[in-house]
Amino acid sequence: MSRLLAFISIIFLSLSCLAQKEKSVEEELPSENLEMRKDSNKRSNKPKRKKIDLIYVPNADNILYGNPCVLEETHKMGFEYIVEPTTLPGSKTWTGKFLNNLWVKTKLVVTRSPFWKLILNSKIKKCRKMSGDLVG
């Protein structure tokens, strides 16, 4: 009889552990709000996350990969350059990269400007001057 009661109590304890609600990421992490008068864990105060698209390039010749100023400017436009050589095993196929880049560049033409590349190149030139990467 005591074994039966012990077995039943173990079953009830294990079921109560399974019934606990898991916290979502929004509930677990507080927002980045620092103002004292506002509740920091409201959905409206959640930090704005921007989806960053990727443009695949075979080499890092003219993109200043690793320069924080250039990375910030490309993130403001909504994309980031990813250096992925064609000989890298496990990389995307040529057609996959082409279609991805076509989609991202078309989206930039529509959302930013048809001259987004010229605007970005001028900002990259300013970043090169500020960081000392510009020679000549």
Side-chain angles (χ1 to χ4, degrees), residues 57-65 83 124 128:
V57 293
N59 51 21
D61 285 345
N62 297 322
I63 60 171
L64 290 181
Y65 192 74
V83 179
I124 287 175
R128 289 180 74 184

Side-chain angles (χ1 to χ4, degrees), residues 120-131:
L120 181 66
N121 283 341
S122 69
K123 290 180 181 180
I124 287 175
K125 199 172 197 180
K126 288 178 187 174
C127 288
R128 289 180 74 184
K129 284 181 183 176
M130 286 176 24
S131 65

Side-chain angles (χ1 to χ4, degrees), residues 19-80:
Q20 291 180 355
K21 180 186 169 198
E22 291 185 21
K23 289 185 175 182
S24 69
V25 176
E26 291 177 351
E27 293 171 347
E28 191 68 34
L29 299 174
S31 69
E32 298 171 1
N33 181 22
L34 298 176
E35 199 169 322
M36 294 296 288
R37 291 176 282 159
K38 290 185 179 178
D39 183 20
S40 63
N41 291 324
K42 283 186 178 178
R43 186 178 293 267
S44 62
N45 292 334
K46 187 175 74 169
K48 307 293 186 262
R49 301 285 187 222
K50 187 176 182 182
K51 184 178 180 295
I52 303 295
D53 294 318
L54 305 175
I55 294 181
Y56 295 98
V57 293
N59 51 21
D61 285 345
N62 297 322
I63 60 171
L64 290 181
Y65 192 74
N67 189 330
C69 176
V70 174
L71 189 66
E72 182 181 330
E73 291 298 331
T74 57
H75 280 194
K76 283 180 186 175
M77 290 190 121
F79 74 97
E80 181 178 342

